[in-house]
Amino acid sequence: MACISTCFTVIPKFRLHSHSTISLKSSTLAKPSNLLHAIQKPNFPGTSGRVLEARVSVPVVRATVDFTQGIRPGGAVESDKLPSDVRKRTMDAVDACGGRVTIGDVASRAGLKLDEAQKALQALAADTRGFLEVAQEGDILYVFPKDYRSKLAAKSFRIKVEPLVDKAKATAEYLIRVSFGTALIASIVLVYTAIIALVSSRSDEDNRGRRGGRSYDSGFTFYFSPTDLFWYWDPYYYRRRRIQADSDKMNFIESIFSFVFGDGDPNQGIEEERWKLIGKYIASNGGVVTAEELAPYLDIDSMEGLTNDESYILPVLLRFDGQPEIDEEGNILYRFPSLQRTASSQGGKRKEYVGKRLADWVGGIEKFFKEKKWQFSKTSTSESAMVIGLGGLNLFGVIILGTMLKDLAVAPSGFIRFVADIFPLLQIYAGSFFAIPLVRWFFIQKKNTEIEKRNKVRQQCARALELPDLSLRRKLLSARDMAQRTVIGQDQIVYTTDKDLIEQDYEARDWDKRFREIETSD
C-alpha cells in the first residue's frame, strides 16, 4: 500500500451566521484513510439554507504527500475492504462524472447509501493517489487521476484475481447445467441397457435351465467412464455466447436444465437499478421532490390513500439522508441536501417542467420502475417437447426396470448389480424431473401475479404525474421552486491536498485575503 506523510499547519474554521463555530485541525497522519477522514464537511443540525463560510486564521499551508510505488510488504489496500459491487458501482460513477465528484454525485449515480459512497471514495482516493478539494462552504470533493483504475489494479491482488474468480464461477454454473442434462442421457442409457441385459439373460437362463439355480452373469460387458458423457460438451461455449450475446438460444443439454430448474431470477440486480433511478431523478430535479414523484419507483400496494399516507418514502429518506419540509401552502416536500451539490455541470434545474413536459424531459430516466416477469423456461416449443419426451421415456424405463428387478429370482451380479445399487437414485431423478417443474410452475404463477400488480400500480402513479390535477400541479411547482442545484467549480475551491509545499505557501496569502474580504462584507 502506498505510504503517505502529511503535515498541516493550517487551522480552517467553519463559521455559521448563527455564530456557531467549529475548528478543524489536522496533524501528522500515518495512513491515507486518516487523511481522508481528517477533512469532513461539518454537519450542523437545523442549518439548512444558511450560508457557511470558511476562513484560514494562519496564512501558511504545508502539505507533502509521498506515495511509494508498488505495495508495501504487510500493507493493506483500503479498496480491498469494500464489497466488490460497491467498489465497482463507485468507480463507474466516478468515470461518468469525469473523475471529480462529491459524495452526492456517487450516491445518486450508483444508487448507494451516502455512508457507503463516502467510505468507497475515501478508500479509492487513498489507493490511487486521489486528492481532496474543499469548497468555500465546506463541501468535500474527491478528484481522481485518469489512470486511477490501472493504479488500483497494480496494487490490489484481489482486483487482479476477481476476473478469474468470476470466470471460474461462470464455468462452474455451466458445468452444473450440462451435468443435469448429461444425467438424463446417462439415466436413459443405463436403464434401457439394463432392461435389454435382463431380457437377454432370461433367454439364456431358459436355455441353461437344466444347470440348476446357479447365480449368473449376463455376459454383457459394459465399461463406463464418467468422461464418456462429456464428449458433446461445447468447448467454445463462452466464445459462442459472446458472439451471440443478444440471442437466448441454448444447446439441448442446457435446455434440459432450463426446463426443470428454470433460468434464474430475471430481476437479479434490479434493486441496484431501482436506487440508481431514484437517485438520478432526485438529483436531476434539484434535490427537492414530492412523494408522488417517487411513488412510480417504489413498492406500493394501491393508489388508495396514497396522498394521506406517505410512509412509503421512508426508505428513500434513510438511504439519501432526506428531510421533510413544509412549503407555504402546507404541502410536504422532501429535500436531499447531499444530492443538491455536485461537481458535474451536466443537467440543470428545470423548475417550469411538470406534468407531461416533465415526463418528456426526463428522457434518460425510466418513467416508472418495472419488474420483469418470471419465465418458466427460455427453451423453444420444439426443445421443450423433446425434453419432455426424453424425460417421459426415462420415467417409463425406470418403472419397467423396477418391476423386472423385483421379479429376479437370483441375486444379480456384474452390470445388473451396479444398476440395482444405484436404482434408488435413478428413481429420484426420474420423479423429480417432472415434480420440480410442476411445483415451479405454481410458484411462477403466484410470483407473476404479484409482479403484475406492483407494475400496474407504479404505472398508474406515473400517469398521474403526466396528467396531474390542480393540487398536485401546484405541489410539483412548489418543489421546483425550492429546488437548488449547486455546481462546485474550481473557482470555489479554497483548499486542496494536491498542492505541494511551494504552491500552498505562495497561495496562502491570497486565500487569507479572500476570506477576510468575505468576513468584512458581512
Side-chain angles (χ1 to χ4, degrees):
M1 171 181 166
C3 64
I4 180 170
S5 62
T6 305
C7 178
F8 293 95
T9 58
V10 60
I11 306 175
K13 295 183 179 180
F14 298 86
R15 184 171 59 80
L16 296 169
H17 285 304
S18 60
H19 303 291
S20 299
T21 304
I22 180 172
S23 63
L24 179 63
K25 181 176 182 181
S26 179
S27 58
T28 302
L29 303 173
K31 297 174 60 179
S33 58
N34 292 338
L35 169 63
L36 298 173
H37 285 292
I39 306 178
Q40 297 294 340
K41 180 178 178 181
N43 183 17
F44 300 98
T47 60
S48 175
R50 300 180 183 177
V51 178
L52 179 64
E53 298 177 354
R55 63 185 179 87
V56 181
S57 59
V58 183
V60 179
V61 182
R62 292 185 176 90
T64 59
V65 182
D66 178 24
F67 286 86
T68 57
Q69 300 296 328
I71 305 176
R72 181 163 54 89
V77 180
E78 297 295 326
S79 301
D80 286 348
K81 302 175 184 178
L82 301 172
S84 297
D85 65 317
V86 172
R87 185 188 70 248
K88 292 176 181 177
R89 290 159 64 181
T90 301
M91 295 171 71
D92 290 340
V94 169
D95 293 341
C97 294
R100 185 172 179 267
V101 296
T102 63
I103 296 175
D105 288 333
V106 173
S108 61
R109 285 183 175 271
L112 296 172
K113 296 179 181 178
L114 290 175
D115 58 342
E116 290 178 337
Q118 180 179 0
K119 291 178 181 178
L121 286 172
Q122 290 173 350
L124 290 173
D127 293 333
T128 62
R129 302 182 69 176
F131 58 91
L132 308 182
E133 293 179 347
V134 184
Q136 291 177 354
E137 297 188 0
D139 296 282
I140 307 298
L141 289 84
Y142 295 80
V143 185
F144 297 88
K146 293 182 179 180
D147 59 344
Y148 80 98
R149 282 183 177 268
S150 60
K151 290 181 178 179
L152 182 60
K155 288 184 177 183
S156 174
F157 176 77
R158 176 184 175 185
I159 294 178
K160 289 180 180 178
V161 301
E162 272 185 355
L164 299 177
V165 174
D166 293 340
K167 188 174 181 179
K169 289 181 179 179
T171 303
E173 292 175 0
Y174 174 66
L175 292 178
I176 292 174
R177 293 179 69 91
V178 297
S179 295
F180 189 86
T182 303
L184 176 62
I185 306 300
S187 177
I188 293 175
V189 171
L190 290 174
V191 167
Y192 283 92
T193 302
I195 292 174
I196 294 172
L198 285 173
V199 172
S200 300
S201 64
R202 286 184 177 180
S203 299
D204 293 341
E205 187 180 61
D206 292 340
N207 295 331
R208 300 192 306 266
R210 58 181 178 273
R211 298 182 181 179
R214 183 184 304 175
S215 177
Y216 67 92
D217 192 345
S218 65
F220 183 84
T221 304
F222 181 83
Y223 176 76
F224 173 77
S225 174
T227 58
D228 294 339
L229 296 177
F230 299 89
W231 63 273
Y232 49 86
W233 284 8
D234 187 356
Y236 302 104
Y237 171 77
Y238 293 104
R239 184 185 306 175
R240 177 173 55 81
R241 295 294 279 186
R242 285 195 297 268
I243 296 175
Q244 301 176 349
D246 298 331
S247 176
D248 291 332
K249 293 182 179 179
M250 60 184 71
N251 61 45
F252 177 71
I253 299 300
E254 288 180 285
S255 65
I256 296 174
F257 185 94
S258 176
F259 172 81
V260 178
F261 296 102
D263 303 288
D265 187 357
N267 296 309
Q268 185 175 4
I270 203 170
E271 282 299 313
E272 173 186 332
E273 298 301 321
R274 181 209 295 263
W275 289 114
K276 284 183 180 179
L277 289 174
I278 294 174
K280 288 180 181 179
Y281 187 92
I282 295 173
S284 64
N285 284 278
V288 179
V289 295
T290 66
E292 289 84 354
E293 290 180 273
L294 300 183
Y297 304 104
L298 301 174
D299 293 336
I300 302 173
D301 295 332
S302 67
M303 294 190 65
E304 296 180 3
L306 198 63
T307 56
N308 298 325
D309 183 10
E310 298 183 354
S311 59
Y312 58 86
I313 203 175
L314 287 177
V316 184
L317 299 179
L318 293 174
R319 176 171 286 263
F320 296 120
D321 195 20
Q323 54 194 29
E325 292 187 4
I326 307 297
D327 65 3
E328 296 178 353
E329 298 182 0
N331 296 315
I332 301 178
L333 307 177
Y334 299 92
R335 182 184 296 274
F336 298 83
S338 296
L339 305 189
Q340 291 183 305
R341 311 187 69 80
T342 176
S344 174
S345 59
Q346 298 177 357
K349 180 175 61 176
R350 306 292 181 91
K351 64 182 180 181
E352 73 276 12
Y353 285 2
V354 297
K356 183 65 176 177
R357 294 187 67 193
L358 174 64
D360 294 338
W361 168 64
V362 189
I365 304 176
E366 296 292 337
K367 297 178 182 179
F368 67 97
F369 176 71
K370 186 176 182 180
E371 295 179 72
K372 298 178 182 178
K373 290 186 177 181
W374 285 64
Q375 277 185 284
F376 179 79
S377 176
K378 292 182 179 180
T379 58
S380 63
T381 304
S382 59
E383 289 175 334
S384 297
M386 187 177 296
V387 171
I388 293 173
L390 287 178
L393 180 66
N394 181 57
L395 179 62
F396 176 76
V398 168
I399 294 174
I400 297 299
L401 179 60
T403 303
M404 296 179 69
L405 290 176
K406 288 181 180 179
D407 295 337
L408 283 178
V410 295
S413 62
F415 172 71
I416 302 299
R417 182 173 182 178
F418 167 74
V419 174
D421 291 339
I422 66 170
F423 186 71
L425 296 178
L426 298 177
Q427 288 178 307
I428 294 174
Y429 182 89
S432 62
F433 193 89
F434 291 101
I436 293 176
L438 182 62
V439 174
R440 198 166 56 81
W441 185 84
F442 286 105
F443 168 81
I444 289 175
Q445 298 304 310
K446 180 181 178 181
K447 199 77 174 178
N448 285 341
T449 300
E450 297 172 353
I451 291 175
E452 185 177 2
K453 180 181 178 181
R454 290 194 296 266
N455 285 341
K456 185 177 180 180
V457 174
R458 295 192 196 102
Q459 189 174 15
Q460 291 174 350
C461 293
R463 288 176 179 174
L465 287 176
E466 292 183 359
L467 301 172
D469 54 25
L470 180 60
S471 61
L472 180 56
R473 178 178 290 273
R474 297 178 65 178
K475 188 176 181 180
L476 293 172
L477 287 172
S478 178
R480 299 295 87 82
D481 289 334
M482 294 177 63
Q484 182 181 2
R485 187 174 185 270
T486 303
V487 180
I488 305 172
Q490 290 290 347
D491 58 330
Q492 296 178 286
I493 302 302
V494 298
Y495 179 79
T496 175
T497 61
D498 190 45
K499 298 290 184 180
D500 60 23
L501 178 64
I502 298 177
E503 290 176 316
Q504 297 228 30
D505 281 344
Y506 179 77
E507 295 179 358
R509 297 185 182 89
D510 183 59
W511 288 355
D512 186 72
K513 181 180 178 181
R514 290 170 58 189
F515 294 144
R516 290 183 186 278
E517 290 177 353
I518 296 174
E519 189 177 54
T520 304
S521 64
D522 292 341

